[in-house]
């Protein structure tokens, strides 16, 4: 189970969710793209299409709430771990409980379901990464990370800029069946779509039959000028293309649904990753999938003397079990899928008085799957002797990690760094083959 963050003492986090929804709804409408979104509890998925089938796929997993990187990928060197234990006497993850053979870092023990991926080099990490400057506001930091273009007033996300590079990309709009919500990274002029489940990407027949309803909507909107008409025509075209994937995801599909929820552990990621796997296996040309996994704002009750119990242990256990099930469920398609995690900021190095940690700066990014040079921690570790106002120093811009993932998995965008990350001077990370 996971611990609900309600009452964690961080009103900014609640404001973030509400403000973000309002902002994104307006931004999406202004950009001319219809968007939809539906929540899976703490998990939410959005999808961007635009590539030919059989290509690579990057899954961007946002650990919303400010994940504590020093609890999930822990410095295990004697000097650094001793310093961490001195600053976190009640919540530090004991050295002897850490997983993995990296002599400098170990994984939280709740990562056990992913230990084999770490050991065989398909799971790695980059430490001491973050924004160019500290930002401890959930909303502002996440918006800045997903916009990834500091100083600009334009509201176009880095994934949207990536998808927009393909002039032949199919125009995609949205099937709105619930809350309308896209992350800032997907907002912009290029097509994007969000839905709760794969079988939400079709039309409800409303008793008339889907074919008849689609024909009726086509007749109604086929010649309508303006944004709404263009968007509806794009939506109908998307629905038509995705019909086979939607039919396969149906609970009554011959041979069973392509969505294998029962293969995933119960929790917020169960449905969203089962549907993401089904979508990728359907091979409809998806290049990027974004997934939210919240509840990381651990101002209190992070853990205790036993690292296998508490909020962090529950949270990591669900994350690890879900990702392990995801890669298994992908089958042969796993060879073209890479997962990268993001969180808006790290946490203070010193624990607070409630067995938690407050908003900080430097953090860790996790990389799993195809192309990853795993089994170790990349980046430039600054150590814990010289902190940045009590926080882990940032030595690598998070955009350098994203750029390395994009440019290696999507070679067609490798000459467009200045468009995707306009002000970035990329640093070499070495985490991708």
């Amino acid at each position: 189970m996971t611990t609900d963050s309600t009452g964690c003492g961080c009103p900014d986090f609640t404001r973030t969710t509400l403000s973000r929804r309002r902002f994104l709804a307006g931004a999406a409408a202004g950009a001319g793209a219809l968007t939809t979104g539906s929540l899976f509890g703490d998990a939410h998925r959005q999808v961007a299409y635009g590539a030919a089938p059989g290509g690579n796929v990057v899954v961007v997993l946002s650990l919303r709430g400010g994940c504590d990187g020093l609890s999930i990928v822990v410095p295990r060197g004697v000097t650094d771990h001793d310093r961490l234990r001195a600053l976190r006497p009640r919540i530090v993850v004991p050295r002897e409980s850490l997983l993995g053979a990296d002599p400098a870092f170990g994984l939280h023990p709740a990562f056990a379901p992913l230990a084999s991926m770490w050991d065989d080099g398909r799971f790695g990490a980059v430490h001491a990464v973050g924004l160019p400057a500290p930002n401890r506001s959930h909303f502002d930091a996440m918006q800045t990370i997903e916009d990834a273009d500091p100083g600009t007033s334009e509201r176009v996300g880095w994934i949207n800029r990536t998808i927009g590079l393909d002039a032949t990309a199919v125009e995609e709009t949205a099937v709105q069946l619930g809350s309308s919500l896209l992350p800032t990274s997907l907002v912009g002029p290029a097509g994007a779509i969000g839905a709760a489940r794969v079988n939400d990407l079709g039309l409800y027949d409303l008793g008339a039959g889907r074919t008849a309803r689609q024909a009726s909507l086509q007749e109604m909107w086929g010649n309508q000028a303006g944004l709404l008409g263009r968007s509806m025509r794009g939506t109908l075209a998307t629905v038509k293309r995705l019909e086979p994937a939607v039919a396969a995801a149906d609970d009554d599909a011959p041979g069973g649904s392509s969505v294998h929820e029962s293969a995933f552990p119960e929790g917020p990621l169960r449905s969203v990753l089962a549907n993401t796997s089904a979508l990728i296996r359907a091979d409809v040309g998806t290049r990027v999938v974004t997934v939210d996994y919240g509840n990381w704002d651990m101002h209190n009750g992070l853990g205790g003397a036993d690292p296998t119990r508490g909020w962090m242990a529950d949270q990591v256990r669900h994350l690890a079990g879900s990702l392990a099930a995801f890669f298994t469920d992908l089958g042969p398609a796993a060879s073209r899928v890479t997962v990268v995690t993001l969180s808006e900021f790290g946490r203070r190095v010193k624990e607070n008085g409630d067995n938690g940690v407050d908003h900080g700066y430097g953090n860790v990014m996790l990389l799993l799957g195809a192309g990853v040079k795993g089994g170790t921690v990349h980046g430039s570790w600054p150590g814990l002797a010289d902190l940045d106002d009590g926080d882990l120093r940032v030595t690598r811009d998070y955009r350098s990690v994203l750029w390395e993932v994009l440019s290696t998995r999507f070679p067609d965008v490798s000459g467009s760094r200045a468009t995707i990350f306009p002000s970035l001077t990329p640093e070499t990370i070495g985490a991708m083959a």
Side-chain angles (χ1 to χ4, degrees), residues 8-26:
C8 73
C10 185
D12 180 48
F13 191 69
T14 301
R15 183 182 70 85
T16 295
T17 303
L18 297 175
S19 299
R20 184 168 161 268
R21 289 177 182 178
R22 285 195 293 267
F23 166 75
L24 292 172

Side-chain angles (χ1 to χ4, degrees), residues 1 3 36 42 48 70 75 87 106 142 145 219 229 235-236 247 260 283-284 290 307-308 357 369 387 397 432:
M1 63 176 291
T3 303
T36 62
D42 285 324
L70 292 173
L87 292 166
M142 185 54 74
I145 280 178
E219 176 69 20
T235 299
L236 293 173
H260 308 143
D283 202 9
V284 294
T290 65
T308 66
V357 278
L387 302 179
D397 191 312
M432 297 296 295

Side-chain angles (χ1 to χ4, degrees), residues 248-273:
D250 194 280
D251 290 339
D252 297 325
S257 172
S258 62
V259 180
H260 308 143
E261 286 198 19
S262 61
F264 289 74
E266 292 185 4
L269 287 170
R270 184 182 207 180
S271 181
V272 67
L273 286 185

